[in-house]
Amino acid sequence: MLLRQALESGQFAITAEVTPPRGGDPSRTLAVAAQLRGLVHAVNVTDGSRAVMRMSSLALCRLLLDGGLEPVLQLACRDRNRIALQAELLGAHALGIRNVLCLTGDPVGAGDQPGARPVNELEAVRLLQLLGRLNAGLDPVEGLLPDGPTALFPGAAADPQSGSWSGLRARVARKQAAGARFLQTQMVMNTEALRRFCAEISEPLGLPVLAGVFLLKSARNAAFINRVVPGASIPQSIIDRLAASADPAAEGVAIAAEQVRSYSGIAQGVHLMAVKAEERIPQILAEAGVSALAGSLLTEVSSRPR
């Protein structure tokens, strides 16, 4: 439980995201994740991100655990009713998976099978409540679970750059009240928005924040993300910087490394996302001055104000 220990002790934490394969062979994803051993506290596995078909997050999390990596299971409500969500949570506990990021899920219309039928019986807040009842040992129908409570560590998502500050504050408060123990943010491109979010929303609620750092590959890639990814808001100045670079891929790594360094003085951790380029995450961390975890303490990153 490296991630939980780091967050609960106030240490700086790092997670990185991997995307399950679009097929039945997990070897490439596992090889990429293996490069993160010793560099991150946990590896986050997406669950049908952008409503695109991928291998089960639960299956890949177990494979990561078998390989000696601590996983974070993303669990989205979009494709499952409450019975299926309960089954996934109990299955995760049985498989030794402890970290769960509770999500509503991107809308089906954003994906590659827009004709699919969404479920959406629950959303993130109610999923957190459901998880909390299992952790309390309560059977969802009546009485107590016959084999005792689960021991899952629940997290939730947030967008510090949300256009509605009051709405963001209220929703994060509901997630905290429902049992969230940490927050993982969407990609953050505005340092001041992150600073305000932590100071005014997450810290008063006692919620540690993993600030989202997204690797951009080119100006065209950044413009595409702005167009298709819900909530994305990459500023034109960054797009122009990528466009002017002779090596946009290297420039994207440099931008991500700068964000890791900057956010380390604001949030309690960072969450690295490098879709289809996860092998560059070690380079981002190296350029940010993070070479390895010392126990679960990052000595190479500037200390965060307390």
Side-chain angles (χ1 to χ4, degrees):
M1 298 294 292
L2 284 177
L3 178 61
R4 182 172 186 168
Q5 291 168 8
L7 292 175
E8 292 185 345
S9 65
Q11 297 172 7
F12 191 82
I14 293 183
T15 57
E17 188 168 285
V18 296
T19 302
R22 190 180 176 88
D25 183 2
S27 56
R28 180 193 174 277
T29 306
L30 294 176
V32 168
Q35 298 177 34
L36 302 173
R37 186 178 290 107
L39 293 175
V40 302
H41 291 87
V43 177
N44 190 298
V45 183
T46 60
D47 180 27
S49 179
R50 291 184 51 231
V52 172
M53 181 202 74
R54 297 279 179 179
M55 179 184 288
S56 158
S57 177
L58 184 67
L60 191 59
C61 281
R62 178 62 223 193
L63 292 172
L64 290 174
L65 202 58
D66 289 344
L69 289 160
E70 180 172 328
V72 179
L73 171 70
Q74 284 194 10
L75 187 58
C77 298
R78 178 193 59 234
D79 306 319
R80 306 169 178 90
N81 65 12
R82 70 183 65 202
I83 298 171
L85 290 166
Q86 291 158 359
E88 291 281 285
L89 291 170
L90 293 174
H93 176 83
L95 292 172
I97 298 161
R98 294 293 179 261
N99 307 308
V100 182
L101 190 71
C102 296
L103 303 171
T104 298
D106 296 325
V108 166
D112 60 351
Q113 299 181 69
R117 182 176 298 175
V119 179
N120 291 326
E121 181 186 357
L122 305 183
E123 42 69 53
V125 171
R126 293 172 69 192
L127 177 57
L128 285 162
Q129 294 169 341
L130 188 156
L131 187 155
R133 289 192 288 271
L134 296 179
N135 273 351
L138 300 176
D139 187 288
V141 179
E142 63 175 303
L144 301 176
L145 292 173
D147 50 2
T150 56
L152 301 168
F153 185 54
D159 180 8
Q161 299 178 159
S162 170
S164 171
W165 192 254
S166 60
L168 174 64
R169 188 196 298 272
R171 185 150 180 82
V172 171
R174 288 197 297 272
K175 290 179 178 181
Q176 188 267 352
R181 303 285 292 279
F182 68 96
L183 295 175
Q184 175 189 302
T185 81
Q186 308 288 355
M187 69 172 78
V188 178
M189 296 288 169
N190 185 324
T191 303
E192 290 311 308
L194 176 65
R195 194 186 309 276
R196 183 186 179 201
F197 174 77
C198 290
E200 297 184 15
I201 295 181
S202 66
E203 289 177 8
L205 291 171
L207 285 172
V209 170
L210 298 170
V213 174
F214 192 94
L215 174 64
L216 300 169
K217 306 176 189 71
S218 66
R220 181 179 178 182
N221 170 243
F224 172 80
I225 289 167
N226 269 349
R227 189 169 64 252
V228 305
V229 176
S233 180
I234 302 167
Q236 189 61 43
S237 59
I238 289 181
I239 296 175
D240 292 343
R241 179 175 167 183
L242 289 163
S245 174
D247 188 346
E251 193 69 24
V253 169
I255 291 169
E258 291 166 11
Q259 290 174 345
V260 170
R261 289 194 297 270
S262 176
Y263 300 167
S264 69
I266 302 171
Q268 195 177 322
V270 291
H271 174 66
L272 294 164
M273 296 168 278
V275 178
K276 297 182 180 179
E278 293 91 346
E279 66 278 358
R280 297 181 196 166
I281 291 176
Q283 183 182 354
I284 294 170
L285 292 173
E287 290 197 18
V290 181
S291 58
L293 299 181
S296 58
L297 181 65
L298 290 172
T299 58
E300 295 85 353
V301 176
S302 59
S303 60
R304 186 175 65 94
R306 294 290 186 262

